[in-house]
Amino acid sequence: MSSRTVIRGGLVITASDEIHADVLIEDGRIAALAASGTPAAEAFTAERSEMGAPPPEGWGRIIDATGKYVIPGGVDAHTHMEMPFGGTFAADTFETGTRAAAWGGTTTIVDFAVQSVGRTLREGLDAWHDKAEGNCAIDYAFHMIVSDVNPETLKEMDLLIEEGVTSFKQFMAYPGVFYSDDGQILRAMQRSAENGGLIMMHAENGIAIDVLVEQALARGERDPRYHGEVRKALLEAEATHRAIRLAQVAGAPLYVVHVSAQEALAELARARDEGLNVFGETCPQYLFLSTDNLAEPDFEGAKYVCSTPLRPKEHQAALWKGLRTNDLQVVSTDHCPFCFSGQKELGRGDFSKIPNGMPGVENRMDLLHQAVVDGHISRRRWIEIACATPARMFGMYPKKGTIAPGADADVVIYDPHAEQIMSADTHHMNVDYSAYEGKRTTGRVETVLSRGEPVITEREYTGRAGHGVYTPRSTCQYLN
Ligand code: URP
Ligand code: ZN
Ligand code: ZN
């Protein structure tokens, strides 16, 4: 297959620019951009053919993007493929999950390798490499979940950074599973202040939440909606505040994952106003869904059980504002799908046994485009929060997250006018429900290139498991 592609006539949108330009791709990378219709753009094909004539057979591929957007492939910095949780495993494998990601216009994921208590970081990371290698349709990288902070683990953090795993998630929630106490968190933060790593925090006060869970169950409150009631916004805000101050004491940067409560966002905004290196991510489920979904009858609310939990609708406006004002910088999915049948059902009669997590890796780019249509964010901000900033936050820019000479040719041709209805009947994630069943959106992925190779071609899957490769990362590019 030829290694040369020209994308003609589209509107190229990056985090910084919108230009009508043709894009030349050579050997998997962006080689050049030139304003459409100019001699410079004509020259992309002219050197191999008569001016204006179609290029000769075998020359390469020309993609007509007239009337379409040409955008960088999405970077989803928060996924959990095959993650063990609550006695089961997230239903998407790296094969099914990365294929679904591609269908949704995402060309890079950063998944979380897991250190189990009593095991080393190395064992956890090796296990995740084994799951992913040879199976991915798109490129992938890893964060590391640190569940067991001890002197050996702290030393291992330095080694992982050298291998391109430069961010470490800690949990203030889930006592007895992933939980770290304040001392363990402080030690990991002190280490990251020295080695350049970035601590990613699941900020919920899990010790207090477990008390409220026990009390709720004792009162007979067993339905999914109580998951949202015990995991209180104030307990997210309190943990967010504590994480910020621990990071400040350690002199370390901090990235707070899956922010859902406006009170937690206020803590982030205050810290940023103070000049601290504190960053925040939210997810589409917190922008488009609410406690109304958790309260759906007949145990349907279990489909929406995730942590941090969905919040009352009023929080959504604060999150959109945070995205506009850059108090929140990234939208990731926290894709962690469990089938309703057989998995979510483990918690029938006891909400605390419902596996936490929701599907979404296929939906993020479309939902955020809908946010453009709805007037919440601009087109360039869409690309910034979904492509460029996650790439820069996690040390992959400009290889990923933009369309510029030298970047990997991870490119999506996006039809901004196509209408779609989200549904489990048509999605490609390996899960038996859609969190957005029946939702109408405007805009749809048409063609996806990963390092110049077509993964989706005019809405046909043309990729292959094993095309995607491990992508080592540098440290957070907002700090240097
Ligand atoms: O409910 C969630 N978010 N499940 C995935 C694990 C996590 O905390 O990110
Ligand atoms: Zn989490
Ligand atoms: Zn997560």
Side-chain angles (χ1 to χ4, degrees), residues 78 80 83 85 169 171 174 202 258 286 305-308 334 336 356-358:
H78 190 152
H80 301 280
M83 165 150 160
F85 195 102
K169 184 175 178 189
F171 288 76
Y174 306 132
H202 180 129
H258 48 53
Y286 307 120
V305 165
C306 60
S307 297
T308 59
D334 196 6
C336 191
N356 284 204
M358 285 178 55

Side-chain angles (χ1 to χ4, degrees), residues 88-112:
T88 186
F89 285 83
D92 262 318
T93 62
F94 278 87
E95 181 171 352
T96 63
T98 57
R99 195 165 57 214
W103 272 104
T106 285
T107 52
T108 308
I109 60 163
V110 192
D111 201 85
F112 286 83

Side-chain angles (χ1 to χ4, degrees), residues 317-328:
L319 296 178
W320 286 121
K321 182 172 166 224
L323 284 170
R324 283 192 298 273
T325 59
N326 206 39
D327 285 324
L328 293 169

